[in-house]
Amino acid sequence: MSVHSVFVAKERLKNLLIADRIQCTPDTADRLTKDLYLTVSKYMEITPEYFDIEITRSDIHIKYAGENK
């Protein structure tokens, strides 16, 4: 199993768990994440690879670990 496939499997499992916790489909959770990214990107210069959203039933945590220059 390659490192890439392990990462993809972890991301899929993470997305399924998030969808279960907030009681919505994985597609809806994905759209929510994309919408939040697009909204934040209107006000800040950000890149998707440093943008992370954690969704639970009671909270949405947005984390941006920008490039270290």
Side-chain angles (χ1 to χ4, degrees):
M1 196 179 248
S2 72
V3 173
H4 177 72
S5 62
V6 170
F7 176 78
V8 170
K10 280 182 166 182
E11 284 300 304
R12 286 182 183 162
L13 179 58
K14 177 182 164 187
N15 290 336
L16 285 172
L17 290 172
I18 289 170
D20 183 56
R21 286 184 190 145
I22 63 173
Q23 298 175 348
C24 70
T25 66
D27 183 51
T28 302
D30 188 44
R31 285 193 322 233
L32 176 60
T33 299
K34 287 178 184 174
D35 285 347
L36 287 168
Y37 171 78
L38 290 173
T39 301
V40 172
S41 69
K42 288 180 183 178
Y43 302 97
M44 299 174 63
E45 189 174 323
I46 58 176
T47 55
E49 54 271 357
Y50 297 107
F51 188 78
D52 185 46
I53 296 177
E54 181 181 325
I55 303 170
T56 65
R57 283 189 180 150
S58 59
D59 295 313
I60 296 175
H61 299 276
I62 300 173
K63 181 172 67 171
Y64 183 69
E67 296 178 86
N68 294 330
K69 291 183 178 181

